[in-house]
C-alpha cells in the first residue's frame, strides 16, 4: 500500500513538471496557432545550463536555475522574432521550421554538452516522513512546490495582468483585439519566450532528480503535446489536469506494467482522446 | 525540349552502373531510396500542406514487415514488400482517419507520437527485432549484385514517379491543390477536404512503406535507424532544400544531399547539424527551395 | 408555391455572443433577394450557417424541403448551393481554367470525360467574360476578374441557389455596372435563385424584388425595397449604428 502511495506521489511530482512544460506549449498554441517542436530542447537546455552554471561556474544552485531559465527566455524571444514571425499565417512552415530547429538544437546540445546525463546539485537534502506511511525525498517535495508555485504565477499572469488581458483578447477574437490596439507582435513574442522559459524551468527543476540528456528531448516534447491534446488545445486548466493524469498513469504503468514502455501510455492516451473526445477534457468543441 | 531533357536524364540513369565503382553505385542506390521518400513526403506536405513526421516510421513498417515475413515465414521479398506497403497504407489510413479532421497540427503531433512509439517497440521487442543490433534479413536476389539492385531501384523509382505524376494530373491532384490553396473555398466548391487530405496521407504513407521494404532488402540489415526521427529529418531536409510543392525539387534535393553527405562523411557528428542549418536558412529565406531559386534566376535573365 | 431555400429560427452564437437569433427566411424559385444590415449584424454569419461553414446551433435550414443544416459544406454545395466570398477567394496559384475545374470536380458528376469537363469549364469562363484568360494564374487577375472567376467557379457546381457576399465591394462605377449585368444574366439565363448581401445600397435596392434586413443578429424587416427603405426600425438601425 505505502509502495503504491509512493508511486502515486512520484506521479504527482512528474504531473506538476508535465503541467508547467505543457503550459508552455498551450500558451503558444492558444495565441499563435504554432506548435514548437523544439520544446523538448528548451527543457534540456534548462537542465544543462543550470548544471553548467552550478557545477562549472560555481554559482549557487538557485541562482543558476534562475539564470538558465532567463537565458532560454531570451533565446525564445530571438527565435520568435527571427524564425517564427516570418511564417505567420502559414501553419505548415511554422511546423517545419520548429522541427528543423529541434534537430539543430539537439545535435548542438550533443556537441556542446556531450551525450552523458547530467545532474545539477540538489537544493535541499534528506527526506520527510509522509503521514507515517513512507519516506519521501525533500528535493522531490520541493520540486512539487516549485511547480505549483509556477502554475500559480502563470494563472495570475493570465488572469490579472496587462499581458493576460491581451492574451485573452487575441485568443478570442484576433481582429477585435487588433482594433482595440493590442500589440499582437509584442504579445506573440513574449508568449513564445514564456513558452520556452516554462519548458526550461521544468527541465531545471527536474534535473536534480532525473538527469537530463540531449537524446531525451523527443520524449519531453511528446509528453507535453499529449498533455495539451488531453487537456484541450489552448486550455490552461487542461494542462494542469492533463499533466497530473499523465504523470500518475505513466508512473503507475511503469511501476506495475513495464518500464520500457513508459512512454507508450502517453501515446495510448493520445489515441484514446482522438477517438473519444478529440477536443480534449477542457477544450472547446468546434 | 523538355522531352529531350527527360530522355537525356533517363539515358544517364541507365548508364550510371557502367561508370561508377561499387562504392558510388551504393550511394546511387541509396539516393534512389531517398528520391522515393522525399517525393512521396512532398505529396502530402508540398501538395496538400500537411506535415507528417511518420514518413520514416512508415518506411520502417515496410522494412520490418517484409524483413520479418521473409526471415520468420520464408515469404518471398516481392510479396513481403507488397504486404509492408499495404500495412503502411492501412496504418496511415487509421492514424489519418483519427486526426485529420481536427486539423494540420493534430496530424503532426500524432505522427510524431507514432514515430516515437514505433521506435520504442522495435528497440524493446528484442527477441523478434534484435533491437538496436539490427536484424539480418535475406536479399531480393539469390546472387548479390549491386548492378541488379540499382536497376531494380531505378525501375521502381521511375514507376513510382510516373504514378505520382498521373495522380497529380488527375482530378484528385486538382483537389489536392485546391485544398492547399484555400481550404474553405475548396469545401464550398464541393471538395470533401477531409477525404482529400486523408487520401494524400494514406497514399504517401503506403509509398514510404514500399520504399522502406526495398531499402531493407537491399541493406539486408534493418535497424531502428530506419524509422528514426533523424532519418525523418533527412527526408524533410531533402524536400525543403530541393523545393517543396514542385515535382523536381525533392528529386534533386534527395540526390544532391545523399551525394553531399558522402563527401562530408568525415565530419560525422556535424552532419545533421550542418544539414539542419542549411535547411533552416532555405526554409526561412527561400521557401520554394533550389528549384524556386533557379526559376527566379531564369526569369530574371 | 414552395420555397427553394428556407430558414426556420436559425440561431448561432460564438463564445456567448449571439450572432444570429431565430432568423427565418424564404427564397422562391427565380427570385433575387437582398440581405442588408449594419456591420456585424450577422449577414455573413447567415451565409456561413447556410453553407455549413459554421452550422446553426438551433433551427433548421431546408433546400427544396430537405433539411441541410447537419451536412458538411461540400455536401451542401453538391446539393445545389453555391457561394462567393466577401473577400474574394479564388485559388490564387492555379489557372482560371483549373479554378473552374475544381467546381466541376466538386460537383462530382460521374461519367463525364476530362475533355467534356474542360469544355464545360471554358464555357463558364466565356459566360463570365474571362474567355481568353483560361491559362492565366488567378493571382494575376484584377479584382473584378477575380470576382468573375469566383462566380464561374460557383456556377460550375450548377447551383440552384447562389449566395453572393458583397460582389460589388471595391469596384468602380463602371465595374459595378458590369457586375450587375452579370448577376441579372445569371438569374435569367441560368435560372438561379439569388440571395445577395450588399453594402452598396442603391444597387441592391433597384436590383432586388425583396429585401431582408438584419440588425444585431435579428431580422428586423422584410419586404419590397420601398417599404424597407421607409421602415422606421431600419432607419434607426442604420442611423444608430456606427457606420450609418
Amino acid at each position: 500500500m505505502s509502495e503504491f502511495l509512493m508511486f502515486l506521489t512520484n506521479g504527482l511530482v512528474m504531473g506538476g513538471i508535465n503541467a508547467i512544460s505543457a503550459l508552455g506549449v498551450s500558451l503558444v498554441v492558444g495565441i499563435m496557432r504554432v506548435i514548437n517542436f523544439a520544446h523538448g530542447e528548451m527543457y534540456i537546455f534548462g537542465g544543462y545550463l543550470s548544471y553548467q552554471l552550478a557545477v562549472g561556474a560555481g554559482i549557487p544552485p538557485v541562482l543558476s536555475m534562475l539564470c538558465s531559465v532567463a537565458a532560454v527566455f531570451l533565446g525564445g524571444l530571438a527565435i520568435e522574432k527571427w524564425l517564427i514571425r516570418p511564417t505567420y499565417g502559414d501553419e505548415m512552415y511554422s511546423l517545419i521550421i520548429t522541427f528543423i530547429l529541434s534537430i539543430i538544437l539537439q545535435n548542438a546540445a550533443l556537441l556542446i554538452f556531450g551525450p552523458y546525463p547530467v545532474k545539477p546539485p540538489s537544493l535541499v537534502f534528506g527526506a520527510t516522513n509522509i503521514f507515517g506511511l513512507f519516506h519521501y525525498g525533500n528535493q522531490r517535495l520541493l520540486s512539487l512546490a516549485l511547480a505549483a508555485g509556477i502554475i500559480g504565477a502563470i494563472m495570475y499572469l493570465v488572469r490579472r495582468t496587462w499581458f493576460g488581458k491581451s492574451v485573452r483578447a487575441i485568443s478570442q477574437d484576433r481582429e477585435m483585439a487588433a482594433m482595440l490596439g493590442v500589440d499582437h507582435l509584442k504579445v506573440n513574442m513574449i508568449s513564445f519566450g514564456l513558452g520556452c522559459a516554462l519548458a526550461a524551468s521544468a527541465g531545471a527543476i527536474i534535473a536534480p532528480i532525473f538527469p537530463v540528456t540531449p537524446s531525451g528531448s523527443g520524449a519531453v516534447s511528446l509528453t507535453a503535446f499529449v498533455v495539451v491534446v488531453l487537456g484541450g488545445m489552448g486550455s490552461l486548466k487542461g494542462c494542469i489536469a492533463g499533466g497530473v493524469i499523465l504523470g500518475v498513469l505513466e508512473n503507475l504503468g511503469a511501476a506495475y506494467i513495464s518500464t520500457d514502455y513508459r512512454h507508450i501510455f502517453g501515446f495510448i492516451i493520445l489515441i484514446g482522446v482522438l477517438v473519444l473526445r478529440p477536443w480534449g477534457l477542457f477544450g472547446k468543441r468546434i | 525540349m523538355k522531352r529531350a531533357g527527360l530522355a537525356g536524364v533517363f539515358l544517364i540513369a541507365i548508364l550510371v552502373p557502367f561508370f561508377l565503382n561499387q562504392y558510388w553505385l551504393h550511394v546511387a542506390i541509396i539516393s534512389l531510396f531517398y528520391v522515393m521518400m522525399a517525393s512521396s513526403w512532398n505529396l502530402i506536405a508540398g501538395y496538400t500542406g500537411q506535415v507528417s513526421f511518420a514518413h520514416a516510421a512508415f518506411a520502417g513498417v515496410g522494412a520490418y514487415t517484409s524483413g520479418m515475413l521473409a526471415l520468420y515465414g520464408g515469404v518471398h521479398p516481392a510479396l513481403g514488400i507488397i504486404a509492408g506497403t499495404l500495412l503502411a497504407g492501412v496504418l496511415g489510413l487509421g492514424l489519418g482517419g483519427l486526426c485529420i479532421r481536427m486539423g494540420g497540427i493534430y496530424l503532426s503531433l500524432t505522427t510524431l507520437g507514432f514515430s516515437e512509439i514505433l521506435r520504442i517497440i522495435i528497440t524493446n521487442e528484442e527477441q523478434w527485432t534484435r533491437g538496436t543490433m539490427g536484424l539480418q534479413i535475406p536479399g531480393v536476389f539469390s546472387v548479390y549484385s549491386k548492378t541488379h539492385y540499382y536497376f531494380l531501384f531505378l525501375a521502381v523509382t521511375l514507376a513510382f514517379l510516373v504514378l505520382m505524376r498521373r495522380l497529380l494530373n488527375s482530378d484528385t491532384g486538382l483537389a489536392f491543390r485546391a485544398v492547399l490553396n484555400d481550404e474553405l473555398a475548396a469545401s464550398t466548391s464541393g471538395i470533401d477536404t477531409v477525404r482529400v487530405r486523408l487520401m494524400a496521407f494514406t497514399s504517401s504513407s503506403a509509398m514510404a512503406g514500399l520504399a522502406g521494404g526495398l531499402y531493407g532488402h537491399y541493406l539486408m540489415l534493418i535497424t531502428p535507424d530506419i524509422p528514426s526521427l533523424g532519418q525523418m529529418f533527412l527526408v524533410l531536409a531533402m524536400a525543403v532544400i530541393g523545393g517543396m510543392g514542385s515535382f523536381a525539387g525533392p528529386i534533386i534535393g534527395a540526390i544532391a544531399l545523399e551525394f553531399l553527405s558522402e563527401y562530408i562523411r568525415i565530419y560525422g557528428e556535424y552532419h545533421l547539424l550542418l544539414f539542419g542549418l542549411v535547411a533552416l536558412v532555405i526554409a526561412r529565406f527561400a521557401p520554394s527551395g533550389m528549384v524556386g531559386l533557379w526559376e527566379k534566376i531564369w526569369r530574371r535573365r | 408555391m414552395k420555397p427553394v431555400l428556407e430558414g426556420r429560427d436559425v440561431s448561432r452564437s460564438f463564445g456567448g455572443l449571439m450572432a444570429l437569433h431565430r432568423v427565418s427566411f424564404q427564397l422562391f424559385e427565380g427570385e433575387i433577394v437582398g440581405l442588408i444590415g449594419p456591420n456585424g449584424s450577422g449577414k455573413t454569419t447567415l451565409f456561413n450557417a447556410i453553407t455549413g461553414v459554421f452550422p446553426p446551433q438551433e433551427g433548421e435550414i431546408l433546400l427544396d424541403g430537405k433539411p441541410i443544416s447537419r451536412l458538411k459544406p461540400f455536401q451542401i454545395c453538391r446539393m445545389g448551393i453555391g457561394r462567393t466570398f466577401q473577400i474574394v477567394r479564388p485559388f490564387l496559384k492555379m489557372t482560371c481554367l483549373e479554378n473552374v475545374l475544381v467546381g466541376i470536380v466538386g460537383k462530382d458528376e460521374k461519367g463525364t470525360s476530362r475533355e467534356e469537363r474542360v469544355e464545360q469549364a471554358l464555357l463558364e469562363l466565356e459566360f463570365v467574360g474571362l474567355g481568353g484568360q483560361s491559362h492565366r494564374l488567378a493571382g494575376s487577375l484584377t479584382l473584378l476578374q477575380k470576382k468573375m472567376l469566383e462566380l464561374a467557379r460557383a456556377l460550375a457546381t450548377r447551383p440552384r441557389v447562389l449566395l453572393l457576399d458583397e460582389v460589388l465591394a471595391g469596384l468602380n462605377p463602371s465595374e459595378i455596372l458590369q457586375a450587375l449585368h452579370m448577376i441579372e444574366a445569371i438569374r435569367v439565363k441560368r435560372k438561379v435563385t439569388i440571395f445577395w448581401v450588399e453594402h452598396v445600397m442603391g444597387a441592391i435596392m433597384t436590383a432586388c424584388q425583396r429585401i431582408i434586413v438584419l440588425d444585431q443578429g435579428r431580422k428586423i424587416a422584410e419586404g419590397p425595397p420601398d417599404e424597407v427603405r421607409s421602415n422606421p426600425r431600419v432607419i434607426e438601425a442604420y442611423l444608430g449604428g456606427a457606420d450609418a
Side-chain angles (χ1 to χ4, degrees):
Chain A
M1 186 59 199
S2 71
E3 195 191 32
F4 174 79
L5 284 176
M6 198 175 82
F7 290 135
L8 200 66
T9 319
N10 274 340
L12 207 61
V13 172
M14 251 350 264
I17 299 296
N18 287 347
I20 48 177
S21 168
L23 273 174
V25 173
S26 199
L27 198 64
V28 176
V29 169
I31 296 165
M32 303 168 62
R33 303 272 134 214
V34 166
I35 287 270
N36 179 11
F37 280 98
H39 194 74
E41 280 71 25
M42 302 299 158
Y43 180 109
I44 301 299
F45 270 84
Y48 264 97
L49 287 178
S50 120
Y51 168 83
Q52 293 290 344
L53 291 172
V55 175
I59 294 170
V62 180
L63 202 62
S64 68
M65 247 168 149
L66 287 174
C67 288
S68 79
V69 172
V72 174
F73 174 72
L74 293 177
L77 295 184
I79 292 171
E80 202 287 322
K81 186 157 185 229
W82 298 109
L83 294 175
I84 312 294
R85 192 167 297 173
T87 70
Y88 285 177
D90 191 336
E91 184 186 286
M92 182 182 73
Y93 263 100
S94 71
L95 294 172
I96 288 179
I97 283 200
T98 62
F99 180 72
I100 297 175
L101 192 67
S102 90
I103 296 284
I104 292 176
L105 291 178
Q106 195 183 331
N107 283 284
L110 267 171
L111 285 176
I112 304 168
F113 305 126
Y116 308 108
V118 298
K119 206 169 176 174
S122 296
L123 301 178
V124 290
F125 298 93
T128 305
N129 195 323
I130 309 280
F131 307 124
L133 292 168
F134 58 95
H135 283 277
Y136 205 70
N138 284 337
Q139 177 69 29
R140 293 188 179 208
L141 290 174
L142 179 68
S143 300
L144 186 60
L146 282 175
I150 290 175
I151 291 171
I154 290 292
M155 282 303 186
Y156 177 80
L157 193 69
V158 172
R159 296 244 157 94
R160 298 258 180 263
T161 61
W162 155 84
F163 174 72
K165 262 186 212 145
S166 315
V167 163
R168 273 175 296 145
I170 290 178
S171 51
Q172 267 166 23
D173 189 336
R174 213 165 273 268
E175 280 168 37
M176 194 66 102
M179 279 204 295
L180 294 174
V182 174
D183 181 355
H184 79 280
L185 289 181
K186 198 160 129 198
V187 173
N188 280 356
M189 201 163 136
I190 296 177
S191 322
F192 196 86
L194 261 182
C196 294
L198 280 167
S201 62
I205 292 173
I206 203 69
I209 304 169
F210 299 115
V212 289
T213 73
S215 55
S217 57
V220 173
S221 292
L222 213 57
T223 304
F225 299 154
V226 171
V227 169
V228 169
V229 173
L230 173 62
M233 282 262 176
S235 157
L236 301 188
K237 252 187 298 181
C239 287
I240 302 163
V244 172
I245 293 173
L246 191 66
V248 168
L249 282 181
E250 274 194 358
N251 271 281
L252 293 182
Y256 294 108
I257 303 173
S258 156
T259 331
D260 294 336
Y261 283 114
R262 165 183 279 261
H263 292 294
I264 266 187
F265 303 115
F267 187 68
I268 294 171
I269 290 176
L270 178 67
I271 296 296
V273 171
L274 287 172
V275 171
L276 300 171
R277 202 181 157 85
W279 55 92
L281 294 175
F282 293 92
K284 268 176 272 166
R285 192 175 182 169
I286 316 157
Chain B
M1 178 61 200
K2 205 173 171 191
R3 267 172 197 278
L6 281 179
V9 170
F10 185 67
L11 199 68
I12 293 171
I14 286 192
L15 294 177
V16 154
F18 304 105
F19 290 104
L20 297 182
N21 63 25
Q22 290 289 298
Y23 177 74
W24 287 105
L25 193 56
H26 167 76
V27 177
I29 294 170
I30 302 295
S31 0
L32 285 174
F33 163 69
Y34 282 119
V35 166
M36 289 190 262
M37 289 295 283
S39 293
S40 51
W41 188 74
N42 185 38
L43 187 66
I44 29 169
Y47 288 96
T48 65
Q50 315 176 87
V51 184
S52 160
F53 291 124
H55 215 58
F58 286 123
V61 168
Y64 274 90
T65 306
S66 180
M68 283 161 71
L69 279 176
L71 191 64
Y72 301 119
V75 177
H76 190 274
L79 285 177
I81 290 171
I82 293 172
T85 308
L86 290 178
L87 185 61
V90 169
L91 283 170
L93 187 66
L95 275 185
L98 276 179
C99 57
I100 282 178
R101 69 206 143 99
M102 297 298 295
I105 287 181
Y106 282 81
L107 183 74
S108 297
L109 294 183
T110 312
T111 49
L112 187 77
F114 176 72
S115 183
E116 263 310 277
I117 293 321
L118 191 73
R119 191 185 56 80
I120 292 175
I121 294 176
I122 291 174
T123 315
N124 285 318
E125 294 301 317
E126 282 185 353
Q127 71 275 31
W128 292 104
T129 62
R130 300 201 13 99
T132 45
M133 302 274 293
L135 191 66
Q136 285 195 326
I137 60 167
V140 180
F141 305 110
S142 46
V143 184
Y144 185 83
S145 147
K146 279 211 162 55
T147 314
H148 286 174
Y149 271 109
Y150 177 79
F151 283 117
L152 175 67
F153 270 67
L154 185 64
V156 176
T157 308
L158 285 177
F160 198 93
L161 292 177
V162 168
L163 202 76
M164 242 182 79
R165 188 85 220 183
R166 284 210 158 173
L167 183 70
L168 289 171
N169 282 333
S170 71
D171 289 350
T172 311
L174 192 74
F176 283 0
R177 285 162 58 213
V179 170
L180 178 68
N181 264 260
D182 190 330
E183 187 159 4
L184 177 60
S187 71
T188 54
S189 302
I191 303 292
D192 184 350
T193 52
V194 172
R195 198 172 139 241
V196 165
R197 284 174 183 272
L198 188 56
M199 222 150 71
F201 181 59
T202 306
S203 38
S204 153
S205 304
M207 286 174 169
L210 171 65
L214 270 176
Y215 186 63
H217 283 294
Y218 165 65
L219 294 178
M220 297 200 284
L221 177 74
I222 49 180
T223 67
D225 273 343
I226 299 177
S228 69
L229 281 177
Q231 183 84 278
M232 179 65 237
F233 163 72
L234 269 184
V235 172
L236 178 143
M238 287 164 175
V240 167
I241 294 174
M244 275 167 57
S246 73
F247 195 78
I251 302 175
I252 294 168
I255 295 171
L257 252 67
E258 175 53 29
F259 274 81
L260 189 68
S261 59
E262 292 306 316
Y263 282 106
I264 58 172
R265 189 168 281 275
I266 28 169
Y267 308 108
E269 41 190 347
Y270 296 97
H271 184 188
L272 279 181
L273 189 62
L274 190 73
F275 281 178
L277 289 171
V278 174
L280 191 69
V281 169
I282 295 262
R284 167 74 176 74
F285 295 103
S288 43
M290 296 195 321
V291 167
L293 283 176
W294 173 255
E295 275 172 0
K296 235 184 224 167
I297 295 166
W298 191 248
R299 225 176 286 146
R300 206 168 285 166
R301 279 174 51 185
Chain C
M1 203 161 82
K2 267 173 61 181
V4 187
L5 182 67
E6 183 179 9
R8 293 182 188 155
D9 293 329
V10 176
S11 297
R12 170 84 209 190
S13 66
F14 291 100
L17 218 86
M18 242 347 181
L20 285 177
H21 188 76
R22 304 187 64 138
V23 174
S24 297
F25 60 89
Q26 292 189 323
L27 263 71
F28 295 95
E29 188 87 52
E31 243 192 331
I32 175 161
V33 176
L35 180 62
I36 63 168
N39 264 341
S41 59
K43 302 176 303 267
T44 298
T45 312
L46 184 60
F47 275 14
N48 282 337
I50 296 172
T51 50
V53 176
F54 296 115
Q57 286 147 335
E58 277 166 56
E60 198 67 78
I61 295 172
L62 305 127
L63 183 70
D64 291 320
K66 277 173 270 172
I68 57 167
S69 31
R70 304 283 167 272
L71 299 180
K72 301 227 160 59
F74 78 92
Q75 293 168 317
I76 291 172
C77 169
R78 289 181 191 174
M79 298 264 306
I81 297 182
R83 84 174 279 187
T84 68
F85 294 91
Q86 195 174 350
I87 298 158
V88 276
R89 312 182 75 137
F91 304 117
L92 296 174
K93 290 178 189 161
M94 294 165 78
T95 65
C96 294
L97 180 67
E98 287 170 332
N99 264 272
V100 181
L101 274 172
V102 171
I104 297 173
V105 169
K107 186 67 180 179
D108 204 23
E109 274 164 349
K110 301 275 183 282
T112 49
S113 70
R114 183 84 182 182
E115 288 72 32
E116 284 166 339
R117 291 172 175 197
V118 170
E119 199 172 314
Q120 194 201 330
L122 289 173
L123 283 176
E124 295 294 2
L125 284 173
E126 192 76 52
F127 182 78
V128 299
L130 291 173
Q133 318 284 339
S134 59
H135 288 288
R136 263 179 78 185
L137 283 183
S140 70
L141 298 177
T142 66
L143 181 64
L144 178 70
Q145 287 175 322
K146 281 181 187 156
K147 293 193 175 205
M148 290 299 143
L149 181 60
E150 229 188 5
L151 277 176
R153 184 181 66 197
L155 286 173
T157 67
R158 298 180 186 254
R160 305 214 35 218
V161 179
L162 187 57
L163 312 183
L164 302 177
D165 200 346
E166 300 201 18
V167 256
L168 303 184
L171 301 183
N172 66 37
S174 85
E175 289 173 335
I176 286 184
L177 222 57
Q178 291 180 50
L180 285 174
H181 281 304
M182 184 47 57
I183 293 168
E184 192 53 20
I186 290 170
R187 191 176 73 88
V188 176
K189 291 192 190 147
R190 304 294 293 263
K191 311 243 180 309
V192 176
T193 307
I194 292 174
F195 201 10
W196 181 13
V197 164
E198 198 57 67
H199 246 85
V200 183
M201 215 44 90
I204 200 168
M205 288 291 182
T206 40
C208 292
Q209 297 142 340
R210 201 150 57 85
I211 303 274
I212 292 173
V213 190
L214 289 182
D215 184 34
Q216 293 175 17
R218 292 161 196 269
K219 186 167 90 173
I220 57 165
E222 180 174 359
D226 287 336
E227 210 176 290
V228 164
R229 215 184 315 223
S230 54
N231 184 321
R233 286 191 68 185
V234 176
I235 295 169
E236 207 219 300
Y238 271 91
L239 293 180
D243 65 328

